[in-house]
Structures are given as C-alpha cells and as structure tokens.
C-alpha cells in the first residue's frame, strides 16, 4: 500500500514537472515581463550556427586556413610568458580563432526579441598597438561571428604605428579573407585617443563601437546596445565587461560589473548599483546608469560624439580618457549606461604590459581632466597623484574650456550630487582635511613609513608634511585614507587596508578633546613607543592621544592653481 502511493506520488510529481516545463517552454509565463519572449532561431544566418553570423571566416580560396594554428606550448615558464603582454600569448596561437564561449548572461537575455531591421547599425573600431596577432584576430572573429549582419556595418582596424612584422602586410592579406574589415594605419604611434578618433572619422554607420584588441564578445552583445541607443541618441552605452583568464585564456564570467565610479586619484572603480539608479530598473536586465565607464569598450552615436567635441586631443598615449569622457557626457547633457545583456570578455593584463608609456603622461591626462571638468574639486586629484605644489605642463586648456561653455555643461558639484551621490565625496564639506594628522605635543605625524600597500602598518614620524604623511580625512564617511591610494583606509589595527573589506575604518573626531576614536573599537589613536602608532583606551589627559589636522583645503589655502 505504502509503496503504491509512493509510486503514485512520483508519477504525479513527474506530471507536474512536465507541465511546468511545457508552460515555460510554450510561453505561459511570458506576459509577466515587459519583453516579448520568443526562442531565437539562427537558421537564417549564413554558416548555420548562432556564432557564425558572417559565415566561415578566414579561409583561403583553396579552403585552407589563412591563419593556421600553431602547436600548443608544452614547456614554459608562466612568469616569463606573461611578461611581454600580460597574458599567455603563445597559448593563444594554438587555440581556435572561432570558439564557443559560456553564456554568462542573465537567462532572460536569451529570450528578448529584437527587430534587427529597425535598429541602428554600428562601425566596430579596434585600435591596437603591437597587439599579439592571434589575439587580435580572435577579437575580430568573435565580432563577425556574433553580430547580426544587419547591425554590423564594418570593422575598422586602426593600427597605431605598430612595428610587429605580422601586423604589416600579412595582416593586410588576412583581412582580405574577412568580410567588412578594413585597416587604417597611423604612421607613428599616437596613442589610443587619437587612434580612436581616426577610427570614428573613418566610420560610416550611425553609431560606432570602440573595442580593445584583446576581447571576445558573447552572443547577443550588440543588440541591447543598438536597441537602447535607438530610443535616445544622447545615451552612451557600455557592455558589461567579463574577463579572460590571462594564463589559460578561458573566457570567465565575472569582471568589473555594470556600475562604475572613480577614486580621486582618477582610477575607475566598480561600485554597487546606486539606489537612485536601481530605482529606475524593473528587471535584472534593464539598463544600469553608471557614473563612469571603463573606457575600452563602449558605443556612441557618431553625431552625438562630435557634438560633445570628440576626445580631448591633448591626451597622451593611454589612460584617464575614460573618466574625462564620462564626466563630459554627464555634465554636458548625455547619459552613460551599461546593458547587462551585452557581455564582452576582456583580457585584463597580469604581470606585464605590451608597450612602454613615456613617464608623466598619465599624470598629464589626470591633471587635464581635473582642470577642465572638476572645478573646485580638482585640487584633490592634484594631491592624490602627488602633483601638489608642482606646475607640470598639461597643455593648452582653452579649446576644452570653450567647449564646456558653449555646451553649457553643468558643474562637477552637480555631477557629484546628481550622478554619483553614493561616492565618498559629494560636497566640499565632506573633506574634513587633506594633509597631516598631527600629534602636536610630540610633533609626530601619522606616516605610512614608506609602506604603501594593503595591510601595511602605519607609524608615527616627526612631522615633515610631505607625501608619506598626507591623508584625506573625510567628514561624512569618516575614514582616514592615505592620499596616495584612496582605496585604503586606516584601521583600528593602525594598518591601511582595503576599505571595503573592513568594518573598523571609521573614526569619530572629538574636536573639543582632540581625540580620534575608532567607531568600532571605541579606542583612540595614540603615539606609542618609538615610531609606533597604536590605539588605546581613550584618555582625555594624555597628550599622546591628541590629534589635529593640518588642513590643505583650498578655501583656507587659496593658492591651489592648475
Ligand atoms: N593602444 C593604442 N595605442 C597606444 C596604447 C594602447 O592603440 O599607445 C590600444 C591597445 O592596443 C588596446 C587599447 O588601446 O587595444 C587599450 O589599451 P590597453 O588594452 O593596453 O589598456 P588596458 O585595457 O590594459 O587598460
Ligand atoms: Mn585592454
């Protein structure tokens, strides 16, 4: 009897599961979402597979591959292999140029139906300087394989003065075996900003899409970008960036997320989706508004890009153009969004770089960004990158400042309050001080003792006021951050550690008694023996517990100029 009813229960459960499955498959649950759910069929695409949207690629007329695969390396020293590019380039040479990769998207993405014939098209622009050939080709193949032909007008390769022999004539010949791809070349390396500008000038589609030359796109990467820009040409859109393991070259799900802010040393920084931005979304696959972009990968309307003035041509080879452009987009009437269904895998370099960068130019890019867009907040950048008190040549600003005026761009204060309200600074009053934390009785200052890395122990050292003693002390969020690395915070152990990994990084300042009390442990910062910095039970009468801030705020030091 018991066995019989058990059997019946199993049969019933199986029927219920089958019914749920059928209901899901045939669309009973579809009306609950704002999207039209329909299974995509790929039979119409040349090549017959979802990832062969432009047919079989790279074959010579005799059917042999134009870029044959090499033998896989068996004997190698990984550190050595990583040194030249930051990834295992020789391994790439033996992997297929066309390969299927994991679908890291939210499952709903697969069912969104796009009216491909009525979406804007795009010109994909790859800029490269001495990119490893098979990695560059795999990037191009992935775009051809996974972009619906209606959406892909052309692929423009901008060679930024490379001198790797294969990137010369052999690349020219290989490109003949691919549809829609052409090369333009800069005689001399001019940096990614000018190279991308060249690509945009050459492009002919309504939108352009900038991609790094070591990426692989996932199926469906392009459609959400085009659908979103169709509604509003002032939207600048980014895919969600996943990664490719530098040693195995496996595409992996997970990267920098969809929402980015910045640190005050002008480095982009992943952040949780801000509350006000989350409030605009109703499903997990809706657009995410983001204060900044990572830079390597984005789509914009060509006319809107020129309306915003294009990139700042005074920028050096690499870096910070992403933040400069993000600030400009928001301040001058556009918006910046990430589409979670658009996923692109990027090789983040590890242990090496493909090219050298002349000293000083990244600092120049940062200082230009600060001087043009950050108004009276710019001095923080100057401090954070160690340029305070110096007057480096940052090139002419006039044309950019004129543009800012002509477009009637809003202030940085507006940007912080409206676009990035969850940032660590949204008002000048959030900066309690920027300078030394000083124990006046002993003339000792909190000092990083030349150790500027996570979990380094801080010390107390005779005050001299220079870099190792410069901290950003925040009023609203209450942290004390070494200005040289604003991702680190002073902890109750008197180390500087990743702010987000700790719960003991906030301090109350008791101004009347000059005590700095850790909000978690309730202990006070104190000068210990020798050069030690310690925390102890607070003692109102102990001079070693009394601190002042040497404030470099520009209201009090109006001589901060660019
Ligand atoms: N690049 C370039 N000229 C340069 C430096 C970089 O064309 O002087 C290209 C580079 O080949 C890549 C893109 O710009 O396609 C972005 O650079 P990279 O990927 O090195 O930056 P990362 O992603 O490492 O920040
Ligand atoms: Mn890159």
């Amino acid at each position: 009897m018991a066995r019989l009813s058990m059997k019946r229960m199993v049969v019933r459960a199986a029927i219920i599961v089958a019914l749920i499955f059928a209901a899901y498959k045939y669309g009973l649950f579809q009306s609950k979402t704002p999207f039209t759910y329909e299974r995509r069929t790929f039979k119409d695409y040349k090549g017959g597979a979802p990832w062969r949207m432009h047919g079989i690629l790279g074959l010579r007329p005799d059917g042999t591959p134009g870029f044959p695969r090499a033998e896989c390396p068996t004997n190698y020293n990984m550190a050595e292999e990583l040194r030249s590019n930051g990834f295992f380039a020789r391994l790439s040479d033996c992997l297929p140029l066309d390969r299927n990769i994991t679908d890291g998207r939210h499952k709903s993405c697969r069912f969104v139906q796009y009216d491909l014939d009525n979406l804007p098209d795009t010109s994909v622009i790859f800029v490269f300087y001495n990119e490893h050939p098979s990695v560059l080709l795999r990037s191009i193949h992935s775009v051809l394989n996974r972009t619906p032909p209606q959406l892909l007008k052309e692929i423009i390769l901008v060679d930024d003065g490379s001198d790797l022999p294969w990137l010369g004539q052999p690349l020219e010949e290989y490109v003949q075996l691919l549809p829609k791809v052409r090369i333009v070349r800069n005689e001399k390396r001019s940096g990614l900003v000018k190279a991308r500008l060249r690509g945009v000038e050459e492009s002919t589609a309504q939108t352009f899409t900038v991609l790094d030359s070591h990426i692989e796109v996932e199926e469906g990467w392009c459609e959400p970008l085009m659908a979103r820009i169709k509604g509003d040409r002032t939207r600048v859109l980014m895919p969600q960036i996943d990664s490719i393991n530098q040693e195995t070259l496996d595409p992996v799900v997970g990267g920098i997320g969809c929402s980015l802010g910045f640190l005050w040393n002008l480095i982009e920084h992943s952040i949780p989706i801000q509350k006000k931005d989350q409030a605009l979304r109703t499903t997990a696959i809706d657009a995410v508004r983001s204060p900044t972009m990572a830079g390597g990968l984005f789509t914009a309307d060509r006319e809107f890009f020129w309306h915003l003035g294009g990139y700042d041509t005074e920028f050096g080879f690499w870096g910070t153009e992403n933040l400069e452009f993000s600030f400009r987009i928001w301040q001058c009437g556009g918006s910046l969004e990430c589409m979670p269904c658009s996923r692109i895998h990027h090789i983040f370099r590890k242990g090496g770089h493909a090219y050298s960068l002349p000293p000083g130019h990244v600092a120049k890019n940062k200082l230009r960004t600060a001087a043009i867009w950050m108004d009276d907040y710019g001095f923080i950048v100057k401090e954070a990158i160690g340029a305070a008190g110096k007057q480096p040549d940052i090139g002419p600003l006039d044309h950019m400042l004129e543009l800012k005026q002509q477009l009637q761009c809003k202030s940085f204060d507006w940007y912080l309050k409206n676009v990035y309200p969850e940032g660590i600074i949204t008002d000048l009053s959030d900066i309690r001080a920027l300078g030394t934390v000083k124990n006046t009785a002993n003339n000792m200052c909190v000092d990083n003792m030349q150790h500027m890395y996570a979990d380094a122990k801080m010390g107390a050292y005779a005050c001299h006021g220079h870099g190792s003693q410069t901290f950003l002390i925040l009023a609203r969020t209450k942290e004390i951050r070494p200005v040289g690395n604003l991702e680190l915070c002073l902890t109750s152990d008197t180390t500087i550690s990743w702010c987000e990994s700790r719960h003991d990084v906030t301090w109350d300042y008791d101004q009347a008694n000059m005590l700095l009390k850790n909000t978690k442990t309730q202990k006070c910062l104190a000068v210990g023996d020798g050069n030690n910095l310690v925390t102890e039970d607070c003692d109102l009468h102990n001079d070693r517990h009394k601190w002042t801030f040497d404030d470099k705020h520009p209201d009090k030091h109006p001589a901060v100029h660019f």
Side-chain angles (χ1 to χ4, degrees):
M1 179 72 186
R3 274 188 56 199
L4 201 71
S5 68
M6 178 66 93
K7 210 169 168 185
R8 237 185 241 157
M9 269 166 60
V10 171
V11 170
R12 270 186 205 156
I15 292 172
I16 290 169
V17 170
L19 281 174
I20 291 174
F21 179 74
Y24 179 76
K25 184 162 176 166
Y26 295 105
L28 230 69
F29 301 136
Q30 289 172 8
S31 57
K32 297 218 176 89
T33 82
F35 303 105
T36 325
Y37 274 35
E38 197 177 292
R39 275 198 186 278
R40 289 254 282 301
T41 61
F42 295 95
K43 61 182 180 334
D44 298 334
Y45 294 116
K46 266 206 289 181
W51 48 282
R52 292 273 180 158
M53 291 181 173
H54 285 82
I56 308 292
L57 303 172
L59 295 184
R60 294 203 187 95
D62 65 2
T64 58
F67 192 86
R69 278 161 72 178
E71 288 286 312
C72 283
T74 47
N75 202 357
Y76 53 83
N77 171 326
M78 189 53 82
E80 211 42 57
E81 297 288 342
L82 293 177
R83 191 161 302 147
S84 43
N85 287 285
F87 52 83
F88 192 175
R90 284 198 307 137
L91 175 64
S92 165
D93 296 344
C94 80
L95 300 174
L97 295 183
D98 309 279
R99 56 175 180 170
N100 235 336
I101 54 180
T102 2
D103 188 347
R105 299 172 301 167
H106 189 278
K107 58 185 182 308
S108 314
C109 299
R110 262 180 282 153
F111 302 108
V112 182
Q113 183 76 10
Y114 298 93
D115 181 5
L116 296 181
D117 294 325
N118 288 305
L119 290 182
D121 57 358
T122 200
S123 300
V124 168
I125 299 166
F126 284 106
V127 300
F128 62 92
Y129 173 70
N130 282 354
E131 187 58 82
H132 188 71
S134 61
V135 170
L136 170 66
L137 294 188
R138 192 170 297 106
S139 309
I140 301 167
H141 275 227
S142 87
V143 168
L144 287 167
N145 283 332
R146 299 197 182 85
T147 314
Q150 299 96 314
L151 303 187
L152 182 67
K153 177 125 187 226
E154 60 198 344
I155 296 180
I156 300 171
L157 307 181
V158 186
D159 172 11
D160 188 24
S162 301
D163 48 25
L164 276 185
W166 196 89
L167 296 174
Q169 189 57 25
L171 175 63
E172 211 79 45
E173 283 162 23
Y174 187 80
V175 160
Q176 301 301 315
L177 310 177
L178 300 174
K180 300 188 179 179
V181 184
R182 64 195 161 97
I183 310 179
V184 295
R185 297 194 190 262
N186 288 341
E187 280 305 304
K188 227 173 83 217
R189 180 178 169 203
S190 61
L192 70 88
V193 156
K194 293 200 186 81
R196 283 186 189 154
L197 279 171
R198 174 90 194 277
V200 183
E201 277 157 13
E202 291 278 339
S203 70
T204 58
Q206 182 193 325
T207 73
F208 68 88
T209 300
V210 160
L211 299 178
D212 272 12
S213 47
H214 34 255
I215 55 98
E216 277 169 85
V217 300
E218 276 200 7
E219 181 196 330
W221 74 278
C222 189
E223 294 88 325
L225 303 176
M226 295 304 122
R228 187 76 182 155
I229 213 164
K230 184 183 176 180
D232 181 350
R233 294 173 81 141
T234 68
R235 289 179 184 141
V236 176
L237 298 169
M238 339 178 247
Q240 182 162 342
I241 306 177
D242 291 302
S243 35
I244 295 177
N245 183 294
Q246 306 91 341
E247 297 183 11
T248 63
L249 297 181
D250 283 333
V252 275
V253 177
I256 57 175
C258 240
S259 184
L260 295 168
F262 67 91
L263 293 169
W264 289 79
N265 38 2
L266 292 194
I267 293 177
E268 69 274 13
H269 181 62
S270 298
I271 56 170
I273 301 175
Q274 299 183 102
K275 281 192 202 71
K276 67 159 180 74
D277 297 325
Q278 186 58 25
L280 299 171
R281 308 173 71 223
T282 52
T283 75
I285 66 175
D286 283 351
V288 176
R289 284 157 83 92
S290 174
T292 74
M293 66 159 113
L297 326 172
F298 71 92
T299 292
D301 180 89
R302 211 157 42 89
E303 275 171 28
F304 184 63
F305 181 72
W306 293 128
H307 163 81
L308 288 182
Y311 273 128
D312 177 358
T313 48
E314 284 289 327
F315 262 55
F317 291 99
W318 172 95
T320 328
E321 83 293 337
N322 58 325
L323 297 184
E324 190 275 344
F325 199 54
S326 303
F327 298 157
R328 184 157 20 143
I329 292 166
W330 282 112
Q331 286 173 246
C332 308
S335 65
L336 183 58
E337 294 180 335
C338 167
M339 300 306 290
C341 288
S342 173
R343 306 286 285 246
I344 301 187
H345 296 261
H346 169 262
I347 310 182
F348 294 93
R349 300 178 197 279
K350 176 180 178 183
H353 220 272
Y355 45 81
S356 61
L357 290 169
H361 87 285
V362 178
K364 175 184 170 188
N365 296 350
K366 290 185 180 194
L367 292 173
R368 279 188 74 78
T369 304
I372 296 163
W373 299 108
M374 298 176 75
D375 311 327
D376 41 356
Y377 290 85
F379 78 98
I380 309 168
V381 174
K382 229 177 161 181
E383 287 285 347
I385 67 169
K390 299 179 190 155
Q391 295 296 335
D393 178 16
I394 60 171
L397 301 175
D398 309 6
H399 68 289
M400 292 304 292
L401 294 174
E402 267 165 37
L403 175 85
K404 187 178 175 185
Q405 194 152 33
Q406 182 201 325
L407 294 174
Q408 300 189 334
C409 304
K410 297 193 177 80
S411 67
F412 202 66
D413 191 62
W414 173 89
Y415 169 88
L416 292 175
K417 292 184 167 60
N418 292 279
V419 179
Y420 194 15
E422 291 180 29
I424 59 167
I425 297 169
T426 58
D427 192 275
L428 281 176
S429 66
D430 292 338
I431 307 160
R432 172 151 227 158
L434 180 56
T436 51
V437 183
K438 184 187 275 188
N439 183 283
T440 322
N442 295 280
N443 194 36
M444 295 285 254
C445 284
V446 176
D447 193 300
N448 68 33
M449 312 304 278
Q450 311 299 329
H451 300 317
M452 193 51 139
Y453 46 78
D455 302 327
K457 193 86 177 149
M458 298 293 94
Y461 196 83
C463 296
H464 54 66
H466 300 304
S468 64
Q469 296 188 339
T470 313
F471 288 81
L472 175 61
I473 298 107
L474 294 159
R476 186 169 54 93
T477 51
K478 299 186 174 181
E479 300 101 8
I480 300 174
R481 302 182 183 228
V483 81
N485 186 345
L486 293 168
E487 281 184 277
L488 302 176
C489 285
L490 184 67
T491 68
S492 64
D493 305 327
T494 68
T495 60
I496 42 169
S497 302
W498 299 118
C499 308
E500 276 146 40
S501 69
R502 302 279 295 227
H503 300 288
D504 59 344
V505 294
T506 49
W507 302 82
D508 278 324
Y509 185 53
D510 170 355
Q511 188 134 17
N513 296 305
M514 296 157 72
L515 297 178
L516 253 176
K517 192 190 282 185
N518 188 280
T519 58
K520 174 126 187 286
T521 62
Q522 294 294 307
K523 301 228 174 187
C524 277
L525 193 70
V527 176
D529 299 334
N531 289 107
N532 284 338
L533 184 68
V534 295
T535 56
E536 292 174 353
D537 290 334
C538 300
D539 181 353
L540 284 179
H541 307 292
N542 188 337
D543 279 348
R544 293 185 302 104
H545 289 212
K546 294 188 184 272
W547 300 94
T548 61
F549 302 135
D550 167 23
D551 191 344
K552 285 194 190 160
H553 197 282
D555 291 349
K556 294 168 194 157
H557 299 262
V560 181
H561 293 303
F562 279 99

